[in-house]
Amino acid sequence: MARLPRPWRRTHLGSDADRATFRTLHTASLAAPALRAGLTRESAERSIKHLHALLGTPAIALSDTADLLAWDGAGHHHAAQVPALATEALARSGTQVVSRRELPCAEGQQGSCPVRAAVISPLAVEDRVVGTLQVFGPYASAGLVRAADEVARWVSGQLELAELDTSRTRLMEAEVRALRAQISPHFVYNSLGAIASFVRTDPDRARELLLEFADFTRYSFRRHGEFTTLAEELRSVERYLLLEQARFGDRLRVTLSVAPEVLSVAVPFLCIQPLVENAVRHGLESAEGGGHIRIVAIDQGQECVIEVEDDGAGEDPEHIRRVLAGDQSLDSVGLGNVDGRLRAVYGDDHGLVVETAPGAGTKVVVRLPKFAPGVHA
């Protein structure tokens, strides 16, 4: 009688080395989020227990270039020595080993205190020393020095990522400020001119348009948050188009079609309105009979797809290519700015897609993930 093969059963999660590697990576992942905020007292206090678990020594400390930020472990009476140890180590450059003679025990507990030696490793961001990792134990073995160096390099890597995050945020804020400066003068002038034309002939409409203008500018010049909801962004677009229709009259026709499922999606602030303004300025202003702008937002599984299309004059594809490549000498309001911000937030796969040709109108497509790390309104 043939015997059936016994079902395979996993009796353990790999070897001892595999499990140790997993524990190390898991512990490091617990420390990473705090360090991605930069080297501050708060981030040091949140991460130090996990770094201590990585090293397994009696005590560790984190400092900036002058002060203790956090201590974890035994021998807390040595914490007062951390600033001086950091200053001396940074003056000498590189990892320093502090012997028993150089680390007196302030409470006279030489016999029982486990802190008898220290390894001081610098923390650097782009070759600029920002602090130290200090590891304390009964003696400074070669293994402890190597472990301290490796953890310090890993911490430095996290701090460099934090610096990049900060730089990206500052860059995006600067780009939004530039976009406001680029859009606002010409739009404000045209809007106020259109409102003024109704003051005597239709005061009620002038009052309504003035309120729409106030709401639009309040949204456009707000100072908080990189992101907003698609619903808020489209509400601002509607106000913008109401003001432009007051200027163009029947020459400007608009179709807006939005799936309710995507209204709550978080999007970068001022990422749709500049595309609509580009359609008005470059697509319709020069067209004798005006034109039609179509704005569509649809739900496509994990993505939200937004299209802004006009049947105006169209543009030379080479001109658009140069705009998206960052050529500052060209005048296409916001296209390059929005494209750069989308790529910075979501990656290069989510830049603008522009379909255009002279005389054929322009269609701009934006594909945004419904959910992305760090993106929330």
Side-chain angles (χ1 to χ4, degrees), residues 177-195:
R177 286 196 298 272
L179 188 59
R180 286 167 172 155
Q182 185 179 18
I183 293 172
S184 56
H186 120 193
F187 174 72
V188 168
Y189 176 83
N190 289 334
S191 295
L192 292 178
I195 293 169

Side-chain angles (χ1 to χ4, degrees), residues 48-53 57-62 70-74 76 136:
I48 195 165
K49 289 187 181 298
H50 305 302
L51 298 176
H52 191 190
T57 56
I60 74 166
L62 286 170
W71 176 285
D72 193 63
H76 192 273
F136 300 90

Side-chain angles (χ1 to χ4, degrees), residues 298-317:
I298 58 178
D299 182 4
Q300 282 197 353
Q302 298 300 312
E303 291 185 321
C304 166
V305 179
I306 304 155
E307 299 176 355
V308 178
E309 185 174 9
D310 69 73
D311 60 358
E315 297 194 62
D316 180 359

Side-chain angles (χ1 to χ4, degrees), residues 55-79:
L55 288 160
T57 56
I60 74 166
L62 286 170
S63 79
D64 56 21
T65 56
D67 297 310
L68 171 69
L69 298 178
W71 176 285
D72 193 63
H76 192 273
H77 50 279
H78 286 282

Side-chain angles (χ1 to χ4, degrees), residues 13-24:
L13 296 173
S15 65
D16 290 343
D18 292 335
R19 291 194 293 275
T21 300
F22 172 79
R23 285 194 298 271
T24 299

Side-chain angles (χ1 to χ4, degrees), residues 2-332:
R3 299 180 63 183
L4 295 175
R6 296 176 62 186
W8 178 80
R9 293 181 179 178
R10 185 168 61 183
T11 58
H12 58 79
L13 296 173
S15 65
D16 290 343
D18 292 335
R19 291 194 293 275
T21 300
F22 172 79
R23 285 194 298 271
T24 299
L25 293 173
H26 177 66
T27 303
S29 72
L30 295 175
L35 295 170
R36 288 290 296 272
L39 187 61
T40 64
R41 192 172 302 278
E42 181 184 358
S43 67
E45 290 173 349
R46 288 174 53 205
S47 63
I48 195 165
K49 289 187 181 298
H50 305 302
L51 298 176
H52 191 190
L54 274 179
L55 288 160
T57 56
I60 74 166
L62 286 170
S63 79
D64 56 21
T65 56
D67 297 310
L68 171 69
L69 298 178
W71 176 285
D72 193 63
H76 192 273
H77 50 279
H78 286 282
Q81 298 170 327
V82 167
L85 292 173
T87 300
E88 186 174 354
L90 297 180
R92 296 179 182 178
S93 75
T95 297
Q96 302 297 319
V97 175
V98 179
S99 66
R100 297 186 178 195
R101 290 193 305 272
E102 301 169 290
L103 195 68
C105 196
E107 296 189 1
Q109 300 174 353
Q110 291 90 341
S112 59
C113 181
V115 174
R116 305 297 305 278
V119 178
I120 319 297
S121 292
L123 303 174
V125 175
E126 296 180 351
D127 299 324
R128 174 173 53 88
V129 176
V130 296
T132 66
L133 169 69
Q134 304 191 12
V135 183
F136 300 90
Y139 50 87
S141 65
L144 182 63
V145 173
R146 182 174 178 182
D149 266 349
E150 291 297 333
V151 172
R153 272 196 286 270
W154 180 83
V155 171
S156 295
Q158 299 304 305
L159 297 177
E160 287 196 346
L161 291 174
E163 189 87 358
L164 287 173
D165 287 344
T166 301
S167 298
R168 188 203 72 171
T169 300
R170 289 173 180 163
L171 177 61
M172 289 184 66
E173 290 173 350
E175 288 176 336
V176 170
R177 286 196 298 272
L179 188 59
R180 286 167 172 155
Q182 185 179 18
I183 293 172
S184 56
H186 120 193
F187 174 72
V188 168
Y189 176 83
N190 289 334
S191 295
L192 292 178
I195 293 169
S197 70
F198 289 103
V199 168
R200 289 191 177 182
T201 59
D202 193 344
D204 288 339
R205 189 175 185 197
R207 188 182 305 110
E208 290 173 3
L209 289 172
L210 195 57
L211 291 173
E212 295 290 352
F213 178 77
D215 287 339
F216 174 83
T217 53
R218 185 182 299 113
Y219 174 81
S220 298
F221 293 101
R222 73 179 193 177
R223 296 295 181 186
H224 58 281
E226 291 180 51
F227 304 100
T228 186
T229 63
L230 181 59
E232 286 292 321
E233 187 77 2
L234 290 177
R235 194 170 294 123
S236 176
V237 166
E238 285 187 285
R239 293 186 184 112
Y240 167 79
L241 288 170
L242 279 172
L243 292 163
E244 290 291 52
Q245 282 177 319
R247 184 162 66 102
F248 285 101
D250 293 339
R251 292 178 57 209
L252 174 56
R253 300 176 299 281
V254 178
T255 300
L256 187 65
S257 176
V258 180
E261 296 83 1
V262 299
L263 288 173
S264 61
V265 172
V267 300
F269 178 61
L270 283 182
C271 72
I272 306 301
Q273 189 271 338
L275 309 183
V276 177
E277 179 162 353
N278 190 76
V280 172
R281 283 189 64 187
H282 295 275
L284 305 179
E285 276 190 345
S286 59
E288 290 184 6
H292 179 226
I293 290 180
R294 185 178 68 94
I295 303 168
V296 177
I298 58 178
D299 182 4
Q300 282 197 353
Q302 298 300 312
E303 291 185 321
C304 166
V305 179
I306 304 155
E307 299 176 355
V308 178
E309 185 174 9
D310 69 73
D311 60 358
E315 297 194 62
D316 180 359
E318 176 60 20
H319 174 90
I320 296 298
R321 187 196 66 77
R322 290 171 59 196
V323 168
L324 297 182
D327 190 333
Q328 299 296 317
S329 67
L330 303 175
D331 179 28
S332 283

